[in-house]
Amino acid sequence: MTNRLLKILGSGLSLILPEICHSCRKGSAEHPYPICRRCRAEIFSSPSCPLSASGHITGIWSCRPYSGALRECIRQFKYRGSKRMTALFSDLLNSYALENGFEYGAADVIVPVPLHPSKLRERGYNQAGLIADILTGTLAAPVLHRALLKIKATCPQMGLTREMRLENLKGSFAVVDKTRLTGKTVLLTDDVMTTGATLETCADELLRAGAAEVKAFTLARVI
Ligand SMILES: [Zn+2]
């Protein structure tokens, strides 16, 4: 059977059979999200993370702890290209804003944590950029997708301590457009905050380039 035929059969079946939840792989996905009702309830009912700060970042806002159904959704989003999670993240972000106020949005520009070009080619999109695009619809601030670049490919950070991560990331980010950052309050975005090393390294680079203040927003945080 040709791949083309399999594809046609697959899309035909998906019209008849309910879509499996992308998070637990047990329940049926319920429109508009690619996850089931139970996973959705778990994500939306868990308490949001307390406001924090790290290094030179004056405030870090994170929607939910990085665990359970949300962790699985972020993994799917990041590694399996499930861009359909965007609707879920958009609604989570908006409900977080309603619960917590929009102080984090008091920024002049939004800057996503960049991916190295080789990673971007492999993945096809930058998850931090998609989060920035969701935020720009909620907050009155433009996204600068190419103001900050990842200029050095780095080893995977998993399993590294905070100090090792900071060392690993040294010299890996560069600001290419200082004019749009000078004197500005910047809101950095990323999907997950683990130790804060990536956000801090980016913030230091933005401040060195003339930004007045750096805040950060992440969908989830390792607690
Ligand atoms: Zn589920």
Side-chain angles (χ1 to χ4, degrees):
M1 208 179 288
T2 64
N3 281 345
R4 194 175 142 72
L5 189 55
L6 279 173
K7 223 174 191 177
I8 293 168
L9 276 175
S11 54
L13 279 175
S14 70
L15 290 174
I16 314 164
L17 299 172
E19 185 185 8
I20 296 292
C21 171
H22 287 214
S23 175
C24 67
R25 301 262 157 207
K26 290 180 194 140
S28 305
E30 284 195 9
H31 190 75
Y33 310 131
I35 59 169
C36 70
R37 189 177 297 185
R38 183 183 280 201
C39 289
R40 169 190 179 162
E42 182 197 313
I43 293 171
F44 281 90
S45 64
S46 65
S48 55
C49 300
L51 174 65
S52 73
S54 181
H56 295 113
I57 306 173
T58 52
I60 303 175
W61 287 263
S62 303
C63 290
R64 296 288 187 270
Y66 185 60
S67 63
L70 182 61
R71 182 173 56 194
E72 196 46 41
C73 288
I74 291 174
R75 280 186 183 157
Q76 297 285 336
F77 180 56
K78 197 166 177 168
Y79 299 110
R80 297 195 185 95
S82 181
K83 273 215 228 174
R84 288 190 50 219
M85 291 292 179
T86 309
L88 169 75
F89 296 151
S90 179
D91 289 350
L92 180 62
L93 199 148
N94 285 322
S95 80
Y96 175 83
L98 288 174
E99 290 158 21
N100 296 276
F102 285 86
E103 309 97 276
Y104 66 89
D108 302 306
V109 290
I110 303 171
V111 173
V113 168
L115 283 182
H116 188 264
S118 59
K119 198 51 127 351
L120 188 61
R121 266 197 303 277
E122 181 190 312
R123 201 172 284 173
Y125 62 94
N126 177 8
Q127 72 283 0
L130 289 180
I131 292 161
D133 288 338
I134 297 171
L135 278 167
T136 197
T138 312
L139 315 168
V143 183
L144 304 182
H145 281 283
R146 292 189 53 79
L148 180 69
L149 298 182
K150 181 106 187 263
I151 53 167
K152 197 175 89 182
T154 47
C155 312
Q157 307 259 68
M158 211 186 281
L160 300 185
T161 64
R162 185 184 140 77
E163 285 64 36
M164 287 157 90
R165 285 172 187 237
L166 285 168
E167 191 57 39
N168 186 31
L169 292 166
K170 220 179 237 175
S172 64
F173 297 100
V175 167
V176 287
D177 187 1
K178 287 186 185 181
T179 53
R180 300 184 73 185
L181 294 168
T182 310
K184 300 284 170 64
T185 296
V186 179
L187 182 68
L188 257 177
T189 62
D190 208 355
D191 52 356
V192 182
M193 172 177 160
T194 308
T195 65
T198 303
L199 290 172
E200 276 181 42
T201 307
C202 289
D204 287 349
E205 207 51 45
L206 293 166
L207 291 165
R208 227 191 325 267
E213 186 184 355
V214 179
K215 303 171 173 188
F217 179 92
T218 68
L219 265 181
R221 187 188 307 169
V222 175
I223 289 188

